Amino acid sequence: MNEVRFRAEQMKSLQAIEAGAFNPHAVLTGMRLEDGSYQVLSYCGDDVVTLPDSLFTAGTSNSQKLLNFLRVPLAFRETFKTCVTSYILKGIEGSSPPKGNTIRQFFYQAIAFLIWLNDRGVSRLSNVTPLICQQYVEFCKELKGHKGEPLSGSYLNRRFVAVKNLHILSQQSSDSMPYPWQESSAYKLAGQSKLFHQEAKTEIIPDDILGSLLQSTVDWLDQADDIISVRERVEAWLLEGMSRKPIQARLNKLGWTKSELSEAERHLQTACMSIVLITSGIRVSELCSLENQCAFKTLDEEGDSFHWMRGTSYKTGVRDCEWLVAEITHRALVVAERLAQPLQANLEQRISALRTDNPKDVDIPQLREHSHRLFLAVGKKHKYGIETLSISSVIKRLNTFASQCGLEWRFTPHQFRRTFAVYAAHSAFGDLRYLRDHFKHWSLDMTTLYAMSRQQDADLYDSIGLAAQSIKMDLLEHWLEPDSILVGGGADPIQAFRTKNEALATKEGRAEMAKTISPLVHLRATGVAWCTADTGGCNGGQGIEKTRCADCGNAVIDESRKFVWQEIYSQQLELRDLTDIGPGGTERVERDIERCEVVLKGLGATGEDLADVAT
């Protein structure tokens, strides 16, 4: 049927519900075919409803697009079908239309409530009282997570919001549910409020783990030509009609087995995914959306090149998006595309065969969606054997890869994005010690970077900004500690400030003060100190003027820079022994040695400590 008729059929489903009836034969979901027509996927009365691909992000497995009403207690099943039909087709009044994962979340959280009611002998929603709902709240608060800890406030909130939405959606059914809680809300019952902003709980990947992971991925990337060339030989032998045993014999001569080659290809693909996640800040769903030729470069007015990557963002609706990346990201994308070519060709052949048999075959749009994707996988669970890697499969691959690299760390979907934001924020401060080459472009002004493309991920910039704010406030709070050792011309005002303010005696007071003064203080890392000057033109910490910050009235040097000054001091002592640097060179060395000694003594070094550095 055409789109107009399909939408009209869906409207009939809603009109029936609004009239107090439920039509199990009415159209609920469908998918758009290549010619623009629509194929029905599910009807309102189906026990298993299929949600269309258009409601989900890339990397969502087909099993996650199903709603199984057979899990619903029979007493509530028809009423719940009415509620879910209304939710899918029009959502909750005052809210945007729900996406696939939101629908699934409501579906399964509401089922948990319905099963709980059924177990207690309640068989109609109209019999659900606020007292029963309060008992459900207490029941949920007693539940434990898989690690034995109480359920989080955000998870409880999702459960309670599902109960509230079930109440709203049931009002047009034959079994309407009363309002679940008097003078309260899901947010309050979960220990939250609408104004509550939860601090980021996602762990940052430690420097040593991230550095080792990236090094391992680069090592695999360096083997890409060898691995792919062997794979191409196998493909050529297959085209010649060669059977399995002769192919295996030839592989053995090359030092490979078929299983080793498959495993190497899988690790190489995982290495490519790791590099993209580490150096771009994209979400795993956005990684899964990447397609052929998604990498491109631009030049700024000075001729400097910037590397970019384009894909699809799903956070605020499906839209094209661009990310600023590193040169190594482009290398990984090129390799990923080479790895995907045989699978993409296989999909194209299957599409062509299906189109010949039936141009309206519903599998054609699904296969077309995957046919240009970079991160494909072969699996028995896939209807046609090939599909975009699911989000869970990507994380499983990453953890397996890390384990085989000897890394004891379990990755989760959001860790790479949050870690990227922190690294980019440190780079913006000029304070990044690890992976500097891959984040050097983030040392530029954020406004300048964002202005390069309005299709960039604005939410990622917000995350970087929040990470930068957190870094800055943590640093200021540390400086306000009574026993924090500070050196440099900018240290005196800080020490005087904390002496005069009694409120700084407690950690809470220091945190509040750091938050208050943070917008008023300019901070930039010079490598050897923190610069508080808000004007340009400073070359402190750069080139041969590394010790210049010691005499600057805008510099603050804390314990975190002590090892840097020790290294400079050691180098200057070596230079002192040279006999061919002339009077000017000797004078500069003595000046820098004196500066280092002043800083190091200020940071607590004794004469014995300085002597140890000298030896």
Side-chain angles (χ1 to χ4, degrees), residues 415-435:
Q415 281 180 355
F416 285 95
R417 185 175 175 86
R418 177 149 159 68
T419 301
F420 175 88
V422 171
Y423 268 67
H426 275 293
S427 185
F429 271 121
D431 184 41
L432 188 62
R433 298 183 195 173
Y434 302 94
L435 313 183

Side-chain angles (χ1 to χ4, degrees), residues 221-283:
L221 211 59
D222 291 340
Q223 300 176 58
D225 288 340
D226 293 337
I227 294 169
I228 294 174
S229 67
V230 174
R231 196 269 310 274
E232 289 172 345
R233 288 193 186 191
V234 173
E235 292 168 356
W237 295 333
L238 288 170
L239 287 174
E240 293 171 6
M242 193 176 295
S243 61
R244 180 181 175 182
K245 285 187 177 180
I247 289 177
Q248 185 59 64
R250 291 193 178 189
L251 276 175
N252 290 342
K253 289 182 179 180
L254 295 173
W256 293 87
T257 64
K258 187 68 172 68
S259 61
E260 287 173 346
L261 180 59
S262 298
E263 185 178 14
E265 287 184 79
R266 188 163 55 252
H267 285 332
L268 182 56
Q269 185 186 54
T270 306
C272 293
M273 293 191 293
S274 300
I275 289 171
V276 173
L277 288 170
I278 291 170
T279 59
S280 68
I282 64 171
R283 301 176 179 90

Side-chain angles (χ1 to χ4, degrees), residues 187-204:
Y187 298 95
K188 291 180 180 178
L189 291 168
Q192 298 180 310
S193 71
K194 289 187 177 181
L195 298 176
F196 178 78
H197 292 284
Q198 190 174 18
E199 291 184 11
K201 291 186 176 180
T202 303
E203 285 187 279
I204 302 297

